[in-house]
Amino acid sequence: MRLQHVPRAGRLLQGRGAWPRPRLNPGVRPCRDGMRESFDVAVVGGGVIGCALASELARRGASVVLLERERLAAGASYGAGGMLAPQVEAHGPGPLLELGLTARALFPDVAERLGGGFDLDLSGIVRVTFTEEGAAELRSRAEWQGRRGLQARILDAAEARDRVPGLAGDPRAALWVPDGQLDPARLTVALAEEAVRHGARVREGVPALHVGPGRVDTAAGPVVAGAVVVAAGAWSGPLTAAPGYPVKGQRVVLRLPGHPLRHTTWGDGCYLVPKAGGRVLVGATEEPEAGFDRRVTAEALARLLRAAAAVIPALAGAEVMEPWAGLRPGSPDGLPLIGPAPGLDGVWLATGHQRNGILLAPWTAHLIADALLEGAALPEACLPERFAVTGSGGAA
Ligand SMILES: Cc1cc2nc3c(=O)[nH]c(=O)nc-3n(C[C@H](O)[C@H](O)[C@H](O)COP(=O)(O)OP(=O)(O)OC[C@H]3O[C@@H](n4cnc5c(N)ncnc54)[C@H](O)[C@@H]3O)c2cc1C
């Protein structure tokens, strides 16, 4: 089967000719209580990606239903570090860095639109290392990011201590980049609330059992929609046969009232993200072999706690608040899967954001809304069809 390049649902919705104020299509009938029985778009999954998308589509006038099998932010979007960190995360120049930079630049506007409420902090991230190998990596990173025209500054020892009070012993190097962080669960809920304010219906406790052309089957009956977008995180693969898979991540929140950490700080083997109320989030493991296992293990916890105290020794005396494990939506090449799902007419994917789903959420929502509502092209590097087999096969 040869897949189309042009977004199919985009044409379908465009063909109705009523955007940005869509009229009801002939199949859409209001129920007695005013609820629509069918929608322009059904979004499956109430994590940050699904909520960002529901909000973007509803703001632009589409009728939207969001189906979440548990409650909003029940998956990875609940406990993520919340870092907006394209520069810290990048191992080298490439598409993920470029997407991340574009995505990071959207957040001041998102915060203004939503009226804040999710602790956006764009004051930068410090990366320190206590090894010579790590120091060489940081210097090389400062160099290539500088060549790309980005701010990436090696700090001297005094500056490093100033930015990271309580920093341990003898760091070999420290780097500052203008990345940021926020509270991901509160962002997710704020986006869902915005979607509802613009007329979207958010249904929690409604698992999608099956998705197909123009419909989502649930235990409460089918939901009919012009397009279905699956944003079910690590569970998107089982629902659509897309090549996504879970990448388990464990982290722990500590509490040290009055702790002096202001900037997110990466050390050797962990990152420390200061959160409201004297909390510090320590992350994270990366365990693609763990499948859908969401248990917190003693070994991982011990490793994270040791790594945290090696950066800021005072954290050894902190109270352990919340160990947690989540499943990142993985993708085989590290880039998200955004666009029509191969072999499933009218079904789209918005998943595979792996370590950067919080960062990439508003950007993903813009892309899909542009494609669905205006027929705009999607970035080829993110199209799910890049994994599809041409000829007689289906999705690889
Ligand atoms: C430890 C850890 C730290 C991280 N730190 C960062 C970070 O600092 N910065 C960053 O950008 N990213 C980070 N990430 C990654 C980020 O959390 C994810 O990329 C992002 O949350 C994915 O969002 P999502 O909406 O796709 O998935 P999820 O948040 O997992 O949401 C998917 C939702 O779909 C629902 N669902 C599943 N199946 C169905 C179904 N059949 N029907 C209905 N609903 C369904 C689930 O209940 C869930 O609520 C981290 C992840 C982990 C695990």
Side-chain angles (χ1 to χ4, degrees):
M1 174 179 55
R2 198 164 180 89
L3 293 160
Q4 302 263 343
H5 224 57
V6 184
R8 280 159 291 183
R11 284 207 307 247
L12 185 147
L13 289 176
Q14 259 200 323
R16 295 175 42 227
W19 302 98
R21 290 174 186 234
R23 277 184 245 113
L24 301 182
N25 71 30
V28 176
R29 284 170 287 117
C31 295
R32 273 206 205 118
D33 67 356
M35 269 175 52
R36 288 181 210 283
E37 280 181 315
S38 70
F39 300 83
D40 296 320
V41 185
V43 177
V44 176
V48 72
I49 301 293
C51 292
L53 181 57
S55 134
E56 187 66 32
L57 290 165
R59 285 194 312 121
R60 297 201 202 177
S63 68
V64 179
V65 63
L66 183 146
L67 307 171
E68 162 55 47
R69 68 175 176 191
E70 292 181 43
R71 59 191 183 286
L72 295 174
S77 305
Y78 166 74
M83 289 175 289
L84 311 175
Q87 289 186 238
V88 165
E89 287 278 346
H91 295 292
L96 191 56
L97 172 68
E98 299 305 323
L99 305 183
L101 292 171
T102 307
R104 189 182 67 190
L106 299 177
F107 277 88
D109 281 353
V110 173
E112 192 178 322
R113 205 182 77 212
L114 295 176
F118 51 89
D119 298 340
L120 177 64
D121 167 16
L122 291 170
S123 67
I125 292 185
V126 178
R127 188 157 182 171
V128 295
T129 180
F130 297 85
T131 70
E132 287 305 331
E133 193 190 352
E137 207 281 316
L138 290 193
R139 282 193 288 269
S140 141
R141 184 178 285 255
E143 202 180 301
W144 70 256
Q145 293 200 354
R147 275 203 307 275
R148 161 64 184 75
L150 301 172
Q151 289 184 67
R153 205 156 58 77
I154 293 288
L155 305 177
D156 64 29
E159 278 180 304
R161 289 196 184 286
D162 184 49
R163 286 190 188 258
V164 188
L167 184 61
D170 186 20
R172 291 285 183 269
L175 175 75
W176 176 87
V177 293
D179 284 339
Q181 63 118 342
L182 50 74
D183 182 321
R186 285 167 64 195
L187 171 67
T188 303
V189 172
L191 288 165
E193 285 171 351
E194 184 182 48
V196 169
R197 277 199 302 280
H198 287 272
R201 303 199 66 88
V202 172
R203 295 185 183 160
E204 296 182 286
V206 180
L209 305 175
H210 178 263
V211 294
R215 67 186 274 149
V216 180
D217 293 322
T218 76
V223 171
V224 178
V228 175
V229 184
V230 175
W235 299 272
S236 302
L239 207 51
T240 60
Y245 56 90
V247 181
K248 179 179 178 181
Q250 304 190 50
R251 60 81 164 143
V252 58
V253 174
L254 305 178
R255 189 162 154 273
L256 189 62
H259 79 77
L261 190 65
R262 295 191 315 272
H263 297 287
T264 299
T265 302
W266 281 49
D268 298 321
C270 75
Y271 52 73
L272 311 172
V273 192
K275 298 290 182 187
R279 294 172 304 142
V280 177
L281 184 148
V282 183
T285 65
E286 194 163 315
E287 306 167 67
E289 69 290 348
F292 286 92
D293 171 22
R294 282 210 271 176
R295 289 170 306 144
V296 175
T297 63
E299 193 274 333
L301 197 54
R303 192 148 43 89
L304 289 172
L305 294 175
R306 253 195 325 273
V311 182
I312 298 187
L315 288 175
E319 178 187 356
V320 173
M321 297 277 295
E322 189 197 42
W324 176 87
L327 303 177
R328 305 176 184 94
S331 106
D333 60 3
L335 288 170
L337 295 150
I338 299 174
L344 283 176
D345 240 1
V347 178
W348 285 44
L349 289 165
T351 188
H353 297 81
Q354 210 141 309
R355 296 177 60 91
N356 293 293
I358 310 301
L359 168 67
L360 296 175
W363 171 82
T364 301
H366 274 283
L367 278 187
I368 295 199
D370 285 351
L372 279 175
L373 307 186
E374 288 155 30
L378 291 159
E380 284 194 21
C382 298
L383 288 173
E385 69 179 48
R386 70 191 187 275
F387 299 114
V389 175
T390 53
S392 56

